[in-house]
Amino acid sequence: MVRVLVVHDEGLLRSALVQLLGSGDGLEVTSLSPRADAPDQDASRTDVCVVDGDCLEGPDAEPGAPFRARWGERLVVLTTPERPGVLRRAFEGGALGLVDKDASAERLITAVRTVAKGERFLDEPLTVALLEGTRMPLTSRELSVLSLAAQGSPVAEIAARLHLSRGTVRNYLATAIRKVGARNRVDAIRIVQNAGWT
């Protein structure tokens, strides 16, 4: 029997994943919201954790640290090729399984069984996206400046928080806009967020 825990922030999708995985022979499935405290959830009682990629931590934290701390490397992360940043964080965070959200139920069940044996599973559509995700065009400083701009911080505030001059902040923003092929700051923020780099 493979004990599977599903972690997803949307209740309806979490329930659907539980039913989908429960249809596989030899899988015992439970679920948990990423916002819920799970003091009684023992790592030794879970063989594989299936987690939505958007539940993983952003670039300021160690990717997937809360999940790895509880369940080790036995993670199957659900994501899409359109979010190479999320895919990259999952891979760098040590997830053994990466499954496309458009995959069939059989692919997900196969991924869970493969990861339960301690082996890596990578869905084919995610392979190219994973390589693209490793080529994030922005430096960490450009990403930090753009992330603060996305929170609505004006140039002066970004400069103060990052201990930079206002001109340097403007230069970082202009470079980030050019590197991602955006029309302006708002477009650059959209591109970076859609790719999952923040």
Side-chain angles (χ1 to χ4, degrees):
M1 181 67 67
V2 176
R3 292 160 300 199
V4 182
L5 175 68
V6 173
V7 179
H8 201 293
D9 58 354
E10 297 174 26
L12 184 60
L13 294 177
R14 191 169 54 244
S15 298
L17 284 168
V18 168
Q19 285 198 339
L20 182 144
L21 287 166
S23 69
D25 290 335
L27 299 181
E28 179 184 305
V29 188
T30 57
S31 69
L32 178 70
S33 167
R35 293 179 298 275
D37 294 327
D40 300 328
Q41 193 68 41
D42 183 7
S44 64
R45 296 183 46 82
T46 299
D47 297 312
V48 177
C49 177
V50 176
V51 61
D52 179 52
D54 292 327
C55 294
L56 299 178
E57 298 290 330
D60 295 334
E62 188 182 346
F67 297 102
R68 280 201 334 281
R70 200 173 284 154
W71 296 288
E73 311 304 314
R74 300 167 291 182
L75 296 178
V76 173
V77 176
L78 304 174
T79 188
T80 65
E82 293 79 27
R83 306 224 351 122
V86 172
L87 185 57
R88 177 184 52 83
R89 281 197 301 274
F91 185 78
E92 289 175 358
L96 285 180
L98 299 170
V99 178
D100 189 345
K101 288 182 179 181
D102 281 336
S104 66
E106 292 77 24
R107 292 290 290 169
L108 179 56
I109 291 170
T110 300
V112 167
R113 290 190 172 128
T114 302
V115 169
K117 292 187 268 185
E119 299 171 6
R120 184 169 294 284
F121 182 94
L122 179 59
D123 232 348
E124 290 90 354
L126 299 180
T127 306
V128 172
L130 180 59
L131 293 173
E132 290 175 357
T134 61
R135 295 182 294 131
M136 204 257 298
L138 303 179
T139 65
S140 59
R141 183 59 86 177
E142 291 162 351
L143 189 59
S144 296
V145 168
L146 203 57
S147 294
L148 289 172
Q151 296 170 16
S153 300
V155 169
E157 184 180 326
I158 295 170
R161 286 182 66 181
L162 297 179
H163 308 289
L164 300 170
S165 72
R166 293 178 186 189
T168 301
V169 169
R170 285 189 195 93
N171 288 341
Y172 277 130
L173 287 170
T175 302
I177 291 166
R178 181 182 44 77
K179 281 184 174 180
V180 299
R183 295 182 306 275
N184 53 40
R185 183 186 313 184
V186 173
D187 193 33
I189 291 167
R190 180 191 56 78
I191 290 168
V192 167
Q193 288 177 340
N194 285 346
W197 289 324
T198 59

